[in-house]
Amino acid sequence: MTRIVTLGGGTGQAQALRGLARLGAEVTAVVGVTDNGGHSGHLRKEFGIPSVGDLRNCIAALADRRSAVGRALDFRFAAGDLEGASLGNLILAGLTLSEGSITRAASALAAQVGARARVLPVSNEPSQIAAALEDGSSVRGEWEIIRRSSRIPIAGLFHDPPIAATTEVLRALRRADLAVLGPGSLRTAIVSILLVTGVREALRKRRVAYVLNILTQAGQTDGFSAKDHVDEIAKYLGRAPDFVIANAERPPDWALGEAEFVDPSGIEARPGRLLEPVRRADAAGRARPSRYPAGPHLVRHDPAKLARAILAVADQ
């Protein structure tokens, strides 16, 4: 069976994992640890640990839904001092402190909820993604990059401090038949993974597929074309990806907000109608209450369609 490793973080990677697991693929998830937004960002600041939010999202996507703990990983408190806090984040943060590393914490939680694939944090070390701007200044932190008041173009990205990939991650990458980057925030999730010491080197001889984002993201890829996305991957991967998987179905205009549709025409890609159905009712339902804003994800890849596209590429 083809060994697939997904790399990224958050909602996009979780969507891919849901689909791949349902189709019985042999998959390992490598998840970023530099997100500093929302409740996960609060926990990393409070306890000095790597970010747990994206990791929790991926474990929840793979959890056996017969497990009460698995179902509870997505639960958020709706009132009181914990309003908006994620129970799954609290569990994973507690396990990180008690087990001594976020890798051991993820392994313990994944086993507890019967996760259908292995989930690995890319590093056991806390760090921030930082951007060097074209005016010579710099911004430290994912949400600081996204929300910078002056949208001065980003010249380059780096980790502060630098962090190294775990032995488990490097082993998984070297054994992979196909590595899948994304979908997810281009600069603060996918590039952040590629910046981790050892990752790019481990991918040097591996086949790499990049899942093109459906929309641009404010503060990160404003005005980016499909080619701009692919060029950014190539810049940090050290070469162009071997395959590009792209959604060719335009979302409804009312769902775009400030974003723009990333039209894949004009680049060499495997296009398909990969959009998850978008309903107006979802817009209100995905709004997060609380003092832990992390932003709703309304426009997403359909898990089953994306998984089939990835498996088709893996079989080439």
Side-chain angles (χ1 to χ4, degrees):
M1 182 180 292
T2 302
R3 293 184 292 264
I4 297 172
V5 176
T6 67
L7 301 95
T11 303
Q13 187 178 18
Q15 291 290 91
L17 291 171
R18 284 188 182 92
L20 289 167
R22 288 171 188 164
L23 293 178
E26 184 178 340
V27 60
T28 297
V30 173
V31 187
V33 294
T34 57
D35 180 14
N36 71 347
H39 181 233
S40 178
H42 174 78
L43 291 173
R44 68 171 295 177
K45 182 178 180 180
E46 190 77 17
F47 299 110
I49 59 176
S51 175
V52 297
D54 288 348
L55 198 62
R56 184 267 310 162
N57 207 348
C58 290
I59 294 174
L62 294 165
D64 185 338
R65 304 313 286 181
R66 294 172 295 183
S67 161
V69 177
R71 294 192 302 272
L73 292 181
D74 286 328
F75 175 81
R76 288 185 182 270
F77 296 90
D81 291 341
L82 288 176
E83 181 185 0
S86 162
L87 178 58
N89 287 353
L90 291 170
I91 293 171
L92 198 47
L95 284 170
T96 299
L97 295 170
S98 64
E99 294 295 315
S101 81
I102 194 171
T103 294
R104 288 196 287 271
S107 177
L109 183 57
Q112 176 66 37
V113 303
R116 295 169 289 175
R118 195 177 185 200
V119 183
L120 300 171
V122 68
S123 178
N124 284 321
E125 307 163 54
S127 183
Q128 299 278 8
I129 182 72
L133 306 182
E134 289 188 355
D135 69 348
S137 63
S138 62
V139 182
R140 184 177 187 268
E142 175 170 348
W143 282 78
E144 287 74 14
I145 292 171
I146 293 170
R147 293 173 172 171
R148 65 191 189 281
S149 57
S150 177
R151 294 284 172 82
I152 299 167
I154 294 171
L157 296 144
F158 59 97
H159 281 156
D160 184 18
I163 54 175
T166 67
T167 300
E168 294 87 347
V169 164
L170 296 180
R171 185 181 299 118
L173 293 177
R174 288 168 183 151
R175 294 181 68 245
D177 297 307
L178 179 70
V180 180
L181 301 174
S185 298
L186 176 62
R187 284 172 148 167
T188 59
I190 302 171
V191 167
S192 187
I193 287 264
L194 294 174
L195 286 170
V196 176
T197 301
V199 168
R200 189 169 82 164
E201 293 75 14
L203 291 173
R204 183 172 292 131
K205 296 182 180 180
R206 303 273 68 82
R207 294 193 305 157
V208 177
Y210 168 52
V211 182
L212 183 69
N213 284 348
I214 299 172
L215 302 178
T216 60
Q217 185 173 0
Q220 292 202 50
T221 56
D222 307 86
F224 264 40
S225 66
K227 184 179 184 301
D228 292 330
H229 282 77
V230 175
D231 287 348
E232 189 78 353
I233 291 293
K235 176 180 177 180
Y236 291 95
L237 181 61
R239 60 183 172 91
D242 300 286
F243 310 97
V244 177
I245 298 170
N247 168 62
E249 181 181 2
R250 182 183 176 87
D253 288 343
W254 59 262
L256 299 182
E258 296 181 7
E260 299 174 0
F261 173 54
V262 182
D263 188 341
S265 60
I267 65 166
E268 186 175 342
R270 185 184 183 94
R273 296 174 64 86
L274 307 179
L275 182 67
E276 185 179 65
V278 186
R279 301 178 302 173
R280 286 184 182 272
D282 292 337
R286 289 180 185 168
R288 299 175 187 263
S290 86
R291 56 181 207 234
Y292 301 120
H297 297 277
L298 183 63
V299 176
R300 309 189 299 187
H301 287 83
D302 180 277
K305 294 176 181 177
L306 178 57
R308 286 194 292 270
I310 290 170
L311 291 176
V313 163
D315 289 339
Q316 287 187 217

